Amino acid sequence: MNTHSRSDEVRARTRAMVLAGVRGLTLAVAMLPVSILCLVLTLLSIALIPIGVGLVTTPAVLAAVRAFADVRRRLAAEWCGVRIETAYRPLPEGANPWTRTFALLRDRQTWRDVLWLPVDMTAGFFTALLPAVLVFYAVEGFALALGLWRAYSESPDGTYWYAFVPVSGPLSALGAVPLACGFLFLGYLYGPRLLTAHFRLTGAVLTPSQAELAERVRVLTETRRDAVDASAAELRRIERDLHDGAQARLVAMGMDLGTVEVLIDKDPDRARALLAQARQSSAEALSELRDLVRGIHPPVLAERGLGDAVRALALRLPVPTEVSVDLAGRPEAPVESAAYFAVSEVLTNAVKHSGADRIWVDLHHTDGMLHATVTDNGRGGATVGAGSGLAGVERRLGTFDGVLAVSSPAGGPTLVTLEIPCALS
């Protein structure tokens, strides 16, 4: 049993060594040109900001750098179990190039990404290459002993140096075998650790400070608390609507039916009138229950998704509303529900307060973000202040790390943009 377990352990460590070598070689060879390109483009784009060209190119270049860093974060987690945290500041969609550029340049996480590039090109390159060197250099040593030395014997001096061992013939090629075994043994012991060290170096540069993480935790704590408060308020609303609406009607209907039992023989006409009244009360109670259920989670949202649910919502508005949807799939149910009710609240505000005679809604998904934009041609002046409906929308989105941006100059138009990070299924 111990022999079998030992054999399994050796096989597992050997496999880990080979994987570390292959992955390290991939990182060193494939990622080095990308790091150099990203660094050159970043420096060039920032240098062109004073003449205006950089205002257009910098957001795209920094987005590419962020995507490259995200790839390395994902590989660190998948290959070596090294988690690298992020603390990017959200950027509202629709901001002008000047605002987006300087918002990115004020983000500390962006500068960590940029500073990581030269580290990845130097120390990161060598720490990624070392596991591959230990594995593949050992393979070369064994290949020399098996006959590869002949390819080097035809060179002008007829000698090939394998590390510090000169190889010029079959006997000297055999001298490379002990050295190759040494490299292989080092790779067996330290190859996976060296690859982990590469990702830990990456994490040391990319991971935000404890102060930033603490701020992130504080924001998340507030949004979760807001979510709990919103859920409690929603529960109280449902209880109130049931008590004041459907429950009251059902009680009245029960009383009417009790009276019918007394009058059915004495006064049939009066009993029939009360039965008709009870039937009307049951229909009204059923309608109120349907409205209540629709307010909790509209059936069209569950059955047909966010796009059709917003279209159905727009058809019930008194203001003509155009809805444009470009979604290749559906987000998770909680995100979909939050987005629906957020759009519903924004549309309600537009109808009640803007004085608009036209509303436009746009839904699309790009770069891992669900975007919803509501535009009206009303009087403007909308704000995300305390007590406004938009403040509630902001709290709802904050539960999912979403953001709300409002552009509403006096005289209009009003543009409300909602963004929620999510994936589509």
Side-chain angles (χ1 to χ4, degrees):
M1 182 66 180
N2 291 336
T3 304
H4 181 70
S5 299
R6 182 65 177 172
S7 176
D8 289 344
E9 182 183 353
V10 170
R11 281 197 294 269
R13 289 181 65 92
T14 302
R15 181 176 180 275
M17 173 191 69
V18 174
L19 277 177
V22 173
R23 289 168 173 173
L25 184 63
T26 301
L27 288 172
V29 174
M31 300 296 185
L32 178 62
V34 180
S35 296
I36 296 174
L37 179 63
C38 285
L39 181 60
V40 171
L41 290 178
T42 300
L43 297 177
L44 182 62
S45 184
I46 293 175
L48 293 177
I49 288 177
I51 63 173
V53 176
L55 294 176
V56 179
T57 60
T58 299
V61 171
L62 292 180
V65 173
R66 179 182 298 189
F68 180 50
D70 285 340
V71 170
R72 193 62 59 87
R73 294 184 183 98
R74 187 178 70 250
L75 294 180
E78 293 177 357
W79 288 358
C80 294
V82 177
R83 292 186 57 83
I84 303 175
E85 301 293 340
T86 62
Y88 292 110
R89 294 180 180 178
L91 293 174
E93 186 73 13
N96 59 56
W98 180 274
T99 302
R100 288 184 65 84
T101 297
F102 285 93
L104 285 167
L105 294 178
R106 285 193 298 267
D107 190 345
R108 293 182 181 179
Q109 188 66 58
T110 297
W111 284 109
R112 274 189 291 271
D113 292 348
V114 174
L115 293 175
W116 164 70
L117 293 174
V119 175
D120 189 56
M121 293 160 45
T122 53
F125 173 79
F126 289 108
T127 54
L129 192 61
L130 276 176
V133 168
L134 293 176
V135 173
F136 294 109
Y137 204 46
V139 171
E140 183 187 4
F142 293 121
L144 286 171
L146 292 175
L148 183 63
W149 62 271
R150 292 187 179 89
Y152 298 110
S153 65
E154 297 176 0
S155 62
D157 57 2
T159 300
Y160 172 74
W161 286 89
Y162 179 71
F164 54 82
V165 176
V167 177
S168 57
L171 291 179
S172 58
L174 291 175
V177 173
L179 188 57
C181 290
F183 284 126
L184 198 61
F185 181 69
L186 290 175
Y188 179 82
L189 289 180
Y190 302 111
R193 298 181 186 179
L194 288 171
L195 188 63
T196 301
H198 166 81
F199 287 118
R200 292 195 183 282
L201 173 65
T202 300
V205 181
L206 291 180
T207 300
S209 65
Q210 290 299 317
E212 291 176 83
L213 291 176
E215 175 66 15
R216 178 68 170 161
V217 170
R218 186 191 65 78
V219 172
L220 290 176
T221 301
E222 288 184 357
T223 57
R224 297 303 181 266
R225 185 172 60 248
D226 290 339
V228 173
D229 293 342
S231 298
E234 185 71 6
L235 181 60
R236 289 193 296 271
R237 181 190 68 82
I238 294 170
E239 292 174 344
R240 184 178 63 252
D241 290 349
L242 284 173
H243 181 272
D244 298 341
Q247 179 179 333
R249 293 187 184 280
L250 291 173
V251 170
M253 186 174 64
M255 296 174 62
D256 289 342
L257 291 175
T259 305
V260 168
E261 288 178 344
V262 175
L263 296 176
I264 193 167
D265 293 326
K266 299 179 180 180
D267 191 350
D269 292 337
R270 176 63 177 163
R272 280 194 294 272
L274 288 175
L275 284 174
Q277 182 176 330
R279 184 173 63 250
Q280 178 65 25
S281 295
S282 68
E284 292 175 353
L286 180 60
S287 176
E288 289 182 357
L289 287 172
R290 286 173 175 167
D291 291 340
L292 184 62
V293 170
R294 187 178 296 111
I296 298 171
H297 193 79
V300 67
L301 179 63
E303 295 170 5
R304 302 180 61 179
L306 180 61
D308 286 339
V310 172
R311 289 191 181 101
L313 180 64
L315 291 175
R316 298 197 297 269
L317 296 177
V319 177
T321 303
E322 297 181 14
V323 180
S324 173
V325 179
D326 183 13
L327 299 175
R330 296 183 62 174
E332 295 181 353
V335 173
E336 192 173 56
S337 179
Y340 171 81
F341 285 108
V343 171
S344 175
E345 181 67 25
V346 173
L347 288 173
T348 300
N349 283 351
V351 170
K352 287 183 177 180
H353 307 299
S354 71
D357 58 16
R358 198 79 178 174
I359 300 175
W360 297 266
V361 181
D362 177 70
L363 297 172
H364 64 279
H365 186 274
T366 55
D367 299 328
M369 300 285 287
L370 175 65
H371 304 274
T373 304
V374 179
T375 308
D376 68 67
N377 61 355
R379 64 178 65 93
T383 60
V384 191
S388 73
L390 293 178
V393 173
E394 189 173 44
R395 288 194 300 270
R396 183 189 293 271
L397 297 180
T399 306
F400 301 91
D401 291 340
V403 295
L404 172 73
V406 179
S407 173
S408 184
T414 295
L415 174 66
V416 180
T417 302
L418 302 79
E419 293 185 356
I420 308 177
C422 67
L424 299 184
S425 60

